[in-house]
Amino acid sequence: MAAAGGGRWYRGMSTDNVKGLVLALSSSLFIGASFIIKKKGLKKAASSSSSGVRAGVGGYSYLYEPLWWVGMITMVVGEVANFVAYAFAPAILVTPLGSLSIIISAVLAHVMLREKLHIFGILGCVLCVVGSTTIVLHAPPERQIESVTEVWGLATEPAFMCYVTVVLALVAVLVFKFVPLYGQTHVMVYVGVCSLVGSVSVMSVKALGIALKLTFSGTNQLVYPQTWAFTTIVITCIITQMNYLNKALDTFNTAVVSPIYYTMFTSLTILASVIMFKDWDRQNLTQIVTEMCGFVTILSGTFLLHKTKDMAADGAYEFFLFLYHT
C-alpha cells in the first residue's frame, strides 16, 4: 500500500502534464530574465530621453530603446512557452510555477540592478520552490476537451460570466478612478489591473491553445467563430497587461512588483480556472488542501522577498527578532 501510495503522484503525471511542466519551467526562465532586461531598458530610455517623460507617467520613449525590445522578445518567448503549456496542463499546475520567475528576477535584480537580496529573500526563494513542487506533485489531470465549442460552453456558464463581470467592473474602477490618483504611489493599482485582466487572459489563452492543439492533431478548430473570439480577447488582454506592467516596473522596485504581481495574478487565475474548468471536481479533498498549502507556502516566500527587499544585514537580524516575538 505504501509503495502504491508513493507512486500515485508519478502515475498521475500524464504525458501532457509532463510536457506542460517542462514548458512552464522554460517560460519562468525567460520571463524572469525579461523583467530585468526591460527594467534596464526603461532606465536607459528615461536617462537618454529628451522629453524626460517616463513610462510610469505616460511616456513611450522606451519604444525607441533596443534593450527594452530585447526584454520584450525574451518575454514573448517565455509567454509562447507558457501559452503552449496551458494547452497541455491545467492552469492550477502551470500558473504557480511562475514563482520561479520571481526567483530569477530577484537574483538578477541583485546582480544586474544592484537591488538588494538578503538572507530572508533567499529563504523566500526556497519557499517558492517548495510550494511549487508541492503543487506539481498534486496537480489534477488535464480535462479532456474535444472542441473549442466545448470550452466556449464552459466560458459562458453563469458562474464564469459573473466572474468576468466583476473583473471588468473592478478594472474600470481602477483605471478611471484610482490610476490618476494613486498610480504613482500605490503599487497595487497598476498590478491590480494587470492581475485582474491577466486571469481572464489565461482562460482565453488556454482555450486558444486547446483549439490550436486540436487543429494540429487533425480536427480543424479555425472554422469556429469561438476560436477567433478567444483570439481577440487574448490580444486585448495582453496589450492591457503590458501597458500597465510597464508603468508598474518603471515606477516601483522590481523586487516589489514581481512578487506582488505573481501573488495576485496566480490567485485570480486559479480562482478563474476553478470556476471555468472545474479543476477541483477531478480531485479529492486531500489533494485540494495539499495544493492550497503549497500555494500558501509560495505566498510566504513572496512575502519574505517583498518584506526584506531593502533590508541591510543588521536589519535582517532585527526582522528575525520581530518574527520571533510575534
Side-chain angles (χ1 to χ4, degrees), residues 110 116-124 308-313 316:
H110 176 71
K116 297 177 181 179
L117 178 65
H118 299 291
I119 184 65
F120 281 101
I122 296 173
L123 177 59
T308 62
K309 61 182 175 61
D310 293 321
M311 186 176 294

Side-chain angles (χ1 to χ4, degrees), residues 182-246:
Y182 306 110
Q184 295 297 302
T185 56
H186 292 73
V187 66
M188 296 293 289
V189 177
Y190 288 145
V191 174
V193 174
C194 294
S195 302
L196 287 164
V197 173
S199 67
V200 177
S201 174
V202 167
M203 297 303 102
S204 300
V205 162
K206 184 170 179 63
L208 184 58
I210 290 172
L212 292 177
K213 183 176 74 170
L214 291 172
T215 298
F216 292 139
S217 299
T219 307
N220 187 10
Q221 302 295 304
L222 302 181
V223 298
Y224 295 106
Q226 289 90 341
T227 300
W228 301 105
F230 282 125
T231 302
T232 302
I233 295 171
V234 167
I235 293 173
T236 303
C237 290
I238 288 177
I239 291 174
T240 303
Q241 283 179 267
M242 289 300 99
N243 182 38
Y244 285 97
L245 182 57
N246 281 331

